[in-house]
Amino acid sequence: MISMGFRVKLLLSMLAVVALTAAVSLVISLNRVEQANDRLFRIRVKEQLQYLPREQAERLNEAQAQAAQFVQREEVQVALEQKDGNRLYKLTWQAMAPVLAESLLKKLIKAEEQPDQPPVIHVPKRRFRITASYLVFLGEQGEFLLPEGSINGYFQSRGQREFRDKIDDLYQGLVGLNKSATGYLSVGSQNGTRRLLEVVCLPVKQAEGGRTVGTMIMGFPVNRRSELALNEISDLSSGVWVDGALLSSTIVEADLPKVEKWLRKNARAMKKPQADKHEFLELNGVPHKVFVAPMDSHPALPKAHKVGLYDWSQSLAVQSEIKAQILGIGAVMGFVAVGLSWLISLGLFKPLRRLYRATMQLREGDYDVRIPVRSNDELGRLARAFNETAEELSLKNRYRDVLNKVADKEVAEELMAGNGHLGGKTHEMTVVFCDMRKYTQITQGMSPEQSVALLNEHMTALTRVVHEHEGLVDK
């Protein structure tokens, strides 16, 4: 087992405290920064989600209100019930001109039937007109009602056929509508790109609340001007994910497949709350945070999601800077802790070392050793207690020496141990009385020192014999 000294333990303890403090500070700081950035990100996303469709929604509501009035006309209901496609589209041309695209208006009626003056369309200043480029009527059983003759060619174009194919896949939900419904579809355009449509579906019912005799469906291309404007003033690139395709005018075309792949990978997670908490999407070496929010869409139409890419590199750079600062401060604190622990260890180690050396001397029998008392703290009290203990041991040692000189060693030990009792005891014993013959004559001419030496020599031999027989020397 490895034995560590006091200084090493103290140093490691200080470093552990500093490391733990730095780690906790780092985690808390990065978490707070992440929460602040995420909160700011959510606020921006919410503002942009509210702003992007606002202008379009206002104009679309106007078109939807006009279409709602149109489907309530009795002649429209009769034409739809009779499956008169030509009549339906002629009525549409007459009543719905302000909300129909020019290309559709020109094809809705035969050239010889067109009046000299086209319908007057009033557009407020500083506003562009939102118009429907796609129009179709569904019969009561979901069949398409198309005009006959030369104008039918317009409805056989690639984009119009794709629009009808998508509606055909959804007709079961559309013919059962009780009220108007809106949603989103994507169709191909003439230049080969995908186009986002906002679809408005209005059920046509018989007068006085009878059965539904058909459905009028219009497709309005979504204007991307506001999306482009937001992209210019912020780091947000947005688009719409519908029908398994991502449609965007702000996301770089080369990045669309990567974003679509990410969306498919996280499709299931996006249905859960807080669906924007996914891994970052890296595009051209730049990390992006992706938000996905469901758009208002009727269940009978495909589900659409608003998708946004936000450049998260600046936020990560701030986090990295904070991380570096905290680690730097932690390193400085580590050096400071090493210095403080060294100074503290000196203040503790020197008194302890003195105490250890004095204890070893005391153990070896040096009862005169003392430790200088230099403080009134615990170490000072410990040194004072050691000195008192050494003094007591020194005194006991002197008592033992004195007793050993005047009494038998065994008796002295009993007395030092506190086992002596007054009153005496009754024992059977053998007493040896020894007298030196002619002692007076022998010592008459000796000095006192010589007399004592003679007695000691005699008593040493006698004491040895007494001790061999487990006896005691009294005198």
Side-chain angles (χ1 to χ4, degrees):
M1 182 176 178
I2 299 176
S3 177
M4 293 187 295
F6 172 75
R7 288 186 177 183
V8 176
K9 292 180 180 179
L10 180 62
L11 178 60
L12 292 178
S13 299
M14 294 288 286
L15 289 178
V17 171
V18 171
L20 181 61
T21 304
V24 172
S25 302
L26 180 63
V27 172
I28 293 176
S29 300
L30 292 180
N31 189 40
R32 292 290 178 85
V33 172
E34 177 68 20
Q35 290 178 354
N37 289 333
D38 188 71
R39 185 162 50 249
L40 180 60
F41 168 74
R42 290 173 185 273
I43 293 174
R44 290 181 179 178
V45 167
K46 184 177 180 180
E47 292 174 348
Q48 291 163 357
L49 283 176
Q50 292 175 346
Y51 173 79
L52 284 174
R54 188 180 303 156
E55 190 177 356
Q56 169 123 356
E58 291 176 358
R59 292 190 295 272
L60 190 62
N61 288 338
E62 297 174 3
Q64 192 170 350
Q66 190 170 349
Q69 294 178 359
F70 173 73
V71 298
Q72 291 176 2
R73 294 172 57 175
E74 184 177 356
E75 53 190 341
V76 174
Q77 298 167 1
V78 172
L80 190 55
E81 189 172 10
Q82 294 177 354
K83 297 181 174 53
D84 188 348
N86 287 343
R87 177 66 177 162
L88 280 172
Y89 287 96
K90 183 174 182 179
L91 291 172
T92 304
W93 184 87
Q94 293 173 347
M96 298 290 293
V99 296
L100 299 178
E102 273 189 40
S103 57
L104 183 57
L105 280 173
K106 293 178 180 179
K107 297 294 183 179
L108 278 182
I109 192 168
K110 297 177 182 179
E112 61 270 15
E113 295 179 1
Q114 292 182 6
D116 295 335
Q117 297 295 331
V120 178
I121 300 174
H122 298 281
V123 180
K125 291 182 178 181
R126 297 182 181 179
R127 293 188 63 181
F128 60 88
R129 191 164 61 100
I130 181 170
T131 58
S133 300
Y134 298 84
L135 173 67
V136 71
F137 287 91
L138 290 181
E140 189 175 1
Q141 302 301 322
E143 68 277 16
F144 291 105
L145 301 180
L146 300 176
E148 299 177 355
S150 59
I151 62 173
N152 184 264
Y154 176 80
F155 292 91
Q156 299 305 322
S157 64
R158 178 181 175 183
Q160 294 289 336
R161 287 200 309 272
E162 183 180 356
F163 178 73
R164 288 200 304 275
D165 289 341
K166 290 182 177 293
I167 296 299
D168 187 45
D169 294 335
L170 305 169
Y171 83 92
Q172 291 183 347
L174 298 177
V175 295
L177 293 175
N178 293 319
K179 59 181 181 179
S180 62
T182 59
Y184 299 88
L185 288 176
S186 65
V187 296
S189 59
Q190 293 181 354
N191 58 9
T193 60
R194 304 299 295 175
R195 194 175 191 184
L196 180 65
L197 301 180
E198 188 157 10
V199 180
V200 177
C201 307
L202 299 104
V204 182
K205 298 184 178 181
Q206 287 180 329
E208 300 179 358
R211 75 178 195 279
T212 300
V213 296
T215 308
M216 178 183 181
I217 303 173
M218 295 184 294
F220 296 84
V222 175
N223 185 274
R224 317 310 287 267
R225 293 183 183 180
S226 56
E227 187 176 294
L228 291 170
L230 280 175
N231 180 255
E232 292 178 358
I233 63 176
S234 70
D235 297 328
L236 181 71
S237 300
S238 60
V240 176
W241 191 39
V242 64
D243 288 339
L246 179 61
L247 309 177
S248 173
S249 56
T250 58
I251 299 176
V252 180
E253 186 175 355
D255 294 334
L256 288 177
K258 296 181 182 178
V259 182
E260 290 179 352
K261 182 179 179 180
W262 186 95
L263 291 171
R264 294 188 186 96
K265 178 182 177 182
N266 295 276
R268 181 175 299 178
M270 287 187 298
K271 297 178 182 179
K272 300 178 182 179
Q274 298 181 340
D276 56 343
K277 289 191 175 181
H278 307 295
E279 60 184 13
F280 291 112
L281 174 63
E282 189 167 318
L283 299 175
N284 299 321
V286 179
H288 288 77
K289 191 164 188 177
V290 184
F291 76 84
V292 181
M295 302 176 69
D296 292 334
S297 184
H298 193 274
L301 293 166
K303 190 67 176 177
H305 292 81
K306 190 70 181 177
V307 178
L309 299 179
Y310 197 85
D311 186 348
W312 209 249
S313 57
Q314 185 175 359
S315 175
L316 294 179
V318 172
Q319 292 184 31
S320 298
E321 183 178 353
I322 293 176
K323 182 178 180 180
Q325 291 176 353
I326 293 177
L327 292 178
I329 293 174
V332 173
M333 290 177 62
F335 285 113
V336 173
V338 170
L340 288 176
S341 63
W342 181 260
L343 294 176
I344 294 173
S345 67
L346 286 178
L348 293 174
F349 183 72
K350 285 184 176 180
L352 292 176
R353 184 171 56 183
R354 286 195 297 267
L355 179 61
Y356 172 77
R357 291 177 177 176
T359 303
M360 291 296 101
Q361 288 180 258
L362 190 64
R363 181 181 178 184
E364 294 172 359
D366 184 3
Y367 297 110
D368 295 328
V369 63
R370 298 293 183 270
I371 299 176
V373 180
R374 296 178 178 176
S375 64
N376 292 321
D377 57 7
E378 288 79 1
L379 291 175
R381 290 196 292 270
L382 181 61
R384 191 176 296 110
F386 176 86
N387 292 337
E388 292 174 356
T389 302
E391 183 66 30
E392 292 178 1
L393 291 175
S394 178
L395 184 60
K396 284 185 178 181
N397 188 58
R398 287 196 296 269
Y399 288 160
R400 183 182 290 108
D401 290 342
V402 172
L403 287 174
N404 286 335
K405 291 177 181 179
V406 298
D408 189 83
K409 181 178 180 181
E410 188 173 339
V411 175
E413 293 293 338
E414 289 290 325
L415 292 174
M416 291 298 298
N419 296 328
H421 300 284
L422 296 178
K425 293 182 181 180
T426 302
H427 288 284
E428 291 184 4
M429 64 180 66
T430 300
V431 179
V432 177
F433 292 94
C434 181
D435 188 17
M436 297 180 64
R437 183 179 300 174
K438 298 181 181 181
Y439 175 75
T440 303
Q441 295 178 6
I442 295 173
T443 60
Q444 187 174 11
M446 292 183 180
S447 65
E449 290 79 7
Q450 292 175 335
S451 298
V452 172
L454 177 63
L455 289 173
N456 284 339
E457 182 180 357
H458 174 72
M459 292 299 297
T460 299
L462 183 62
T463 300
R464 182 176 67 252
V465 174
V466 171
H467 284 166
E468 288 176 356
H469 291 81
E470 298 180 0
L472 300 176
V473 178
D474 180 52
K475 294 276 192 288

